[in-house]
Amino acid sequence: MPENEQKRAPQGIDTTKPSVSRVYDFLLGGKDNYEVDRQMAEMALKVAPDAPEAARSNRQFLRRTVRHMAREAGIRQFLDIGSGLPTQGNVHEVAQQAAPEARVVYVDHDPIVLVHGRALLAVNASTTVIEADIREPEAILAHPDIKGLIDFSQPVGLLLFAILHHLADDEDPGGIVARLMAGLAPGSHLVISHFHNPGQAHPKVSEQAFSAEKIFNETLGTGRWRTREEILAYFDGLELLEPGLVPLPEWRPDADEQAQLGITYHTFVGAVARKP
Ligand SMILES: C[S@@+](CC[C@H](N)C(=O)[O-])C[C@H]1O[C@@H](n2cnc3c(N)ncnc32)[C@H](O)[C@@H]1O
């Protein structure tokens, strides 16, 4: 690792192993990453050269879905789990542009998110950042900082962008989503973006998904490209909003948005649903 990087790494940040949030930050053109993260990203780029495009399309999906929840669905409080490092168009910026009184809690288990997030995400009395693990959903719902900002008797927008595919099957991501949704009021919304393996519908893309999965598991130790059925199961008991579960650029695109049909197009999907 370059010497200047080693010096500027904040205390408690392990720069000897890649981290999901820092690799993703690199793909988005951010600066909060280290040599080890960039090496991992280069490997992923060999299999999916348009990974930066996929990351950007995930952020655009985030912007459109949060805007929809704030403007059309009247959601005024958001819980963003696996929020990642600050970037352009953070959730509170999108939500508060549509509804200035919107409150946002960012949650991530990577300490670097807290280091950089305190300055850039917890910017006013309506936003905060906490360090917690989605694998302990009840602890998140009971966290004093969250309870200080979120009124659980009112609808919440639960944002799970690009996090569930970092949970292994035996960590029961479906059960975790259900436990989080059980704590939220009727009218709450759930949004998920997720790596997708399209199987026989797109055999070449499916092969690429398996290769990417292998690289992610060997280097980051995490990554599951799930089937359409597996991803739809997260929304059991909820009402899926139109157009359902689709490749990210197909979820209510803005008129001026042009989707690039790259190799990752069918391997990154998302949907929004409402708790009846
Ligand atoms: C690919 S980034 C996505 C960032 C942001 N949500 C987005 O979609 O633009 C995934 C984030 O999930 C976080 N994460 C992974 N596993 C987690 C866990 N068990 N609990 C909390 N956060 C987790 C990572 O640290 C990382 O910041």
Side-chain angles (χ1 to χ4, degrees):
M1 178 171 61
E3 202 189 338
N4 60 339
E5 279 203 339
Q6 208 161 3
K7 279 198 194 126
R8 76 172 162 88
Q11 224 188 353
I13 302 302
D14 184 355
T15 55
T16 63
K17 290 192 222 109
S19 104
V20 173
S21 58
R22 297 181 332 223
V23 171
Y24 183 69
D25 173 70
F26 173 70
L27 292 175
L28 281 172
K31 300 218 172 340
D32 300 328
N33 51 74
Y34 301 93
E35 182 67 17
V36 68
D37 307 308
R38 298 189 284 273
Q39 280 169 2
M40 153 66 200
E42 295 301 342
M43 272 190 264
L45 285 166
K46 286 201 180 108
V47 182
D50 67 339
E53 173 62 24
R56 280 194 294 276
S57 122
N58 183 46
R59 294 303 300 186
Q60 285 168 356
F61 174 71
L62 174 151
R63 181 173 50 77
R64 297 193 307 274
T65 53
V66 170
R67 193 183 58 196
H68 167 84
M69 284 184 260
R71 255 199 222 157
E72 266 84 49
I75 302 282
R76 292 291 174 268
Q77 30 185 20
F78 296 87
L79 185 53
D80 181 6
I81 310 184
S83 52
L85 283 154
T87 179
Q88 270 183 7
N90 297 300
V91 168
H92 71 277
E93 292 160 345
V94 180
Q96 290 172 356
Q97 195 178 26
E101 71 276 32
R103 300 180 301 284
V104 178
V105 178
Y106 295 103
V107 181
D108 206 288
H109 74 156
D110 188 333
I112 197 156
V113 172
L114 224 67
V115 170
H116 293 282
R118 281 222 173 94
L120 290 162
L121 299 176
V123 285
N124 54 40
S126 305
T127 60
T128 195
V129 190
I130 65 158
E131 191 177 331
D133 197 308
I134 196 173
R135 288 168 294 190
E136 293 171 10
E138 284 79 18
I140 292 181
L141 295 174
H143 194 288
D145 290 358
I146 298 188
K147 289 175 92 174
L149 215 51
I150 290 195
D151 173 359
F152 283 105
S153 70
Q154 297 299 314
V156 171
L158 175 61
L159 316 180
L160 303 178
F161 294 106
I163 175 171
L164 296 174
H165 51 233
H166 293 299
L167 298 184
D169 293 349
D170 62 7
E171 292 174 313
D172 189 20
I176 289 171
V177 174
R179 282 153 68 194
L180 285 167
M181 286 309 292
L184 306 186
S188 291
H189 282 55
L190 167 67
V191 49
I192 291 175
S193 61
H194 203 291
F195 288 160
H196 173 233
N197 189 325
Q200 283 317 302
H202 298 278
K204 275 224 156 86
V205 182
S206 176
E207 253 171 58
Q208 180 240 343
F210 281 122
S211 308
E213 191 166 276
K214 190 163 178 289
I215 291 177
F216 268 59
N217 282 299
E218 283 167 3
T219 51
L220 283 174
T222 150
R224 270 281 278 118
W225 274 247
R226 295 196 163 92
T227 64
R228 180 172 177 80
E229 290 65 37
E230 285 173 318
I231 300 169
L232 278 174
Y234 295 129
F235 298 98
D236 276 356
L238 306 177
E239 298 161 351
L240 268 184
L241 269 53
E242 287 298 322
L245 182 67
V246 288
L248 303 182
E250 288 179 22
W251 201 93
R252 305 188 189 190
D254 287 342
D256 60 348
E257 245 171 14
Q258 293 217 329
Q260 287 179 17
L261 277 166
I263 196 165
T264 57
Y265 189 79
H266 291 285
T267 58
F268 212 166
V269 297
V272 182
R274 181 181 178 279
K275 180 169 175 171

